[in-house]
Amino acid sequence: MIHVKRIDHVAIAVSGTDEAARRLGELFGLRAGAKERVAEQNTDVLFLHAGQDDTTLELICPDGNQGLQRFLDKRGPGLHHVCFEVDDLPAALASLKAAGVDLVDETPRRGARGHLVAFLHPRSTGGVLYELCQRQGEYP
């Protein structure tokens, strides 16, 4: 079993981050953070912040990411994944693999905000795509 520190973010797949951020900001008073291109994943991301804490929605838009584009083509915009923060991502992946969980990523890779990330296959998690992240320094 792994130890989850907190829910880091919930990701919403969109066809354009700017329009989605504007609309969600109007509806829910969410504040847009900086837009970022995650080159290793061919994805544009924009985090929306709620309240005074670090609760975030991550808007993800394909910029060459074929898997994310297929998701949008098939399902349209909507919930994509939930991300849990952990202290030691390599150890968490090893523990989950030993427990028989199918991993999309066997080793961590760079994700948004410079964090290390890895995804778990939905067939092992009740049909939900989960991401695990390990913070690498503080993100503004």
Side-chain angles (χ1 to χ4, degrees):
M1 179 169 74
I2 68 170
H3 173 72
V4 170
K5 291 176 65 175
R6 68 186 185 93
I7 295 175
D8 184 77
H9 65 269
V10 174
I12 309 296
V14 297
S15 57
T17 57
D18 293 337
E19 176 59 25
R22 184 193 63 74
R23 182 72 175 142
L24 292 170
E26 288 174 357
L27 290 173
F28 304 116
L30 302 175
R31 299 177 321 278
K35 192 178 201 177
E36 179 180 352
R37 180 162 199 296
V38 182
E40 291 178 23
Q41 296 179 28
N42 295 320
T43 304
D44 290 328
V45 301
L46 190 149
F47 284 89
L48 298 175
H49 305 276
Q52 298 299 316
D53 61 13
D54 56 1
T55 302
T56 57
L57 283 180
E58 178 188 37
L59 302 179
I60 55 175
C61 177
D63 186 14
N65 183 313
Q66 295 177 357
L68 185 53
Q69 186 62 57
R70 280 191 306 272
F71 177 93
L72 281 169
D73 291 345
K74 183 176 180 182
R75 296 180 180 93
L79 181 64
H80 187 262
H81 67 268
V82 176
C83 180
F84 295 128
E85 181 185 348
V86 298
D87 280 324
D88 186 343
L89 184 52
L93 292 172
S95 177
L96 290 166
K97 185 174 182 176
V101 174
D102 291 324
L103 307 176
V104 173
D105 300 296
E106 300 243 346
T107 58
R109 55 186 159 120
R110 280 281 164 223
R113 303 174 290 176
H115 293 0
L116 294 177
V117 301
F119 286 86
L120 312 179
H121 201 287
R123 72 177 153 252
S124 291
T125 57
V128 177
L129 180 62
Y130 288 100
E131 177 184 23
L132 301 179
C133 76
Q134 178 181 333
R135 287 184 180 216
Q136 298 292 288
E138 289 303 312
Y139 185 78

